[in-house]
Every structure is written in C-alpha cells, then in structure tokens.
Amino acid sequence: QVQLQESGPGLVKPSDTLSLTCAVSGYSISSSNWWGWIRQPPGKGLEWIGYIYYSGSTYYNPSLKSRVTMSVDTSKNQFSLKLSSVTAVDTAVYYCARSEAAGTFFDYWGQGTLVTVSS
Amino acid sequence: QSALTQPASVSGSPGQSITISCTGTSSDVGGYNFVSWYQQHPGKAPKLMIFEVSNRPSGVPDRFSGSKSASTASLAISGLQAEDEADYYCSSYTSSTTVVFGGGTKLTVL
C-alpha cells in the first residue's frame, strides 16, 4: 500500500527557507509517476505548488516559481520541497502526493504537515 | 493562473441529489479531460473521488459521478448521506503544464 509522510520544521522564521521532505513507502519513487506538493492555508483552499519526476524534471506554480526548488532522492525513496524567503502568507498545511502523470490527478496523499511562519 | 470557480456552498437533505459546478477556461477545464474532484473532511487530507472527468477510483461509491460540458465540469452526488458532508475541490490540468484547483465548495447535509 502506497503511503506518503511529510516531515520538517513546524515553525519557520520570516525570510528563511522552508524545507520539507516526503518519505514514500510501499512504492518505488522511481516508477513512472510524478510527485507533487500542495498547500492549504488555514481555513482556505488548496494551492498546487509543483511536482517532480524521479529523473529530476519539474513543473512549478508560476506564482511561486522564483522561490521553489524540488528535488528527489531515489536512494532514500523520498522527495523534498524548499521554499525560500517565506512570509506569513506561506503559513499552511503542506501535503505531498502522488500523481499518475504530470498534470493529471493525485491519488495518494500524505497526512499533511502544518508549517507556521513567525518570528 | 486563476483558480477554477466553484460555488462557496451547497446543501441538500439526506437522500437528495446535489451538483457542484467547476468553471474554468479553454486553457484548462475546456481544453483537457484531466479534471479531478477531491473530498476533504475537516483536519484530513483530500481524497480523490473522480479523475479524468468521470472516472471513479476503486472504493468510491457510484453515488458520485462527474461530467463536463465546454469549460464547466460538474460533480453530482445522489442519495446524499451524512458522511458526504465535507469540502469538495475540483482541479484541472492547464495548457502551461501546471495544475489549478478550484476555490472549494462546502457541502452541508441538512
């Protein structure tokens, strides 16, 4: 059974870089899937951040592109998100998820992790 | 990219049917059959309910169905049950090889 688990600091200071990792179990990250990040500010809707293929190819949300970096570590079966120069508006629950193919649907999701940006 | 447009809320009584709309443009919903729908209960991760406009993943009741006409997709739920009360989000592939979500619709079962 495919399982995803996000991990990382729950509190990040303004102007710092948010770093999260998504560990995948029960499935090889090197299979023909894309791996994505989605976030949800408290009380608000979902926002797609981007996704990455095991080879390292990426697509990012244009509104976040200048601050986002995604990477994949096939040896650890995990992928990561870095969001630089964070502000309070980046406070959100961050989800990682598996996508059948680039731009299609997300069929498996992590439980989500709340990241608060505050000094 | 602009978020897809969904009604903020819909409601229905147990046993009734409801429909949630999701309006985009020819660059997303209208241009591709990659519309999906997600159900989210409070404090939980979203759950895939419909993919590629009208397909149901294994385990999703056939009370849930999806369709599309031009740039508007729809999620229909028949035989409403109390456990259907949740937030619902649509999403679509876009011409920029990105993904866009709708603003979300809160379904209340009266």
Side-chain angles (χ1 to χ4, degrees), chain A residues 38 40 43-49 51 59-63 95 99-100 102-112, chain B residues 1 34 36 38 40 43-48 50-52 87 89 91-94 96-104:
Chain A
I38 302 98
Q40 184 172 36
K44 297 187 178 181
L46 301 171
E47 179 181 32
W48 175 74
I49 300 172
Y51 41 50
Y59 291 103
Y60 298 144
N61 186 322
S63 68
Y95 295 100
S99 182
E100 180 69 15
T104 57
F105 53 90
F106 294 103
D107 53 0
Y108 289 94
W109 294 65
Q111 64 184 29
Chain B
Q1 55 188 33
F34 290 126
S36 51
Y38 302 88
Q40 186 181 35
K44 300 295 187 181
K47 174 187 176 183
L48 178 67
I50 296 288
F51 66 96
E52 293 172 0
D87 293 326
Y89 295 90
S91 83
S92 175
Y93 176 77
T94 81
S96 304
T97 322
T98 60
V99 172
V100 62
F101 282 96

Side-chain angles (χ1 to χ4, degrees), chain A residues 1-3 24-33 35 77 98 100:
Chain A
Q1 181 178 350
V2 182
Q3 292 185 316
V24 180
S25 59
Y27 192 82
S28 172
I29 201 169
S30 300
S31 299
S32 299
N33 293 88
W35 304 90
N77 216 43
R98 188 186 82 166
E100 180 69 15

Side-chain angles (χ1 to χ4, degrees), chain A residues 20-88:
Chain A
L20 296 174
T21 296
C22 181
V24 180
S25 59
Y27 192 82
S28 172
I29 201 169
S30 300
S31 299
S32 299
N33 293 88
W34 288 72
W35 304 90
W37 290 95
I38 302 98
R39 70 180 183 179
Q40 184 172 36
K44 297 187 178 181
L46 301 171
E47 179 181 32
W48 175 74
I49 300 172
Y51 41 50
I52 185 168
Y53 196 57
Y54 78 92
S55 63
S57 296
T58 56
Y59 291 103
Y60 298 144
N61 186 322
S63 68
L64 299 170
K65 188 174 183 177
S66 64
R67 299 193 291 129
V68 172
T69 302
M70 294 182 184
S71 60
V72 63
D73 187 337
T74 56
S75 67
K76 294 183 178 179
N77 216 43
Q78 64 186 34
F79 60 105
S80 300
L81 167 71
K82 291 187 185 298
L83 182 65
S84 64
S85 304
V86 297
T87 68

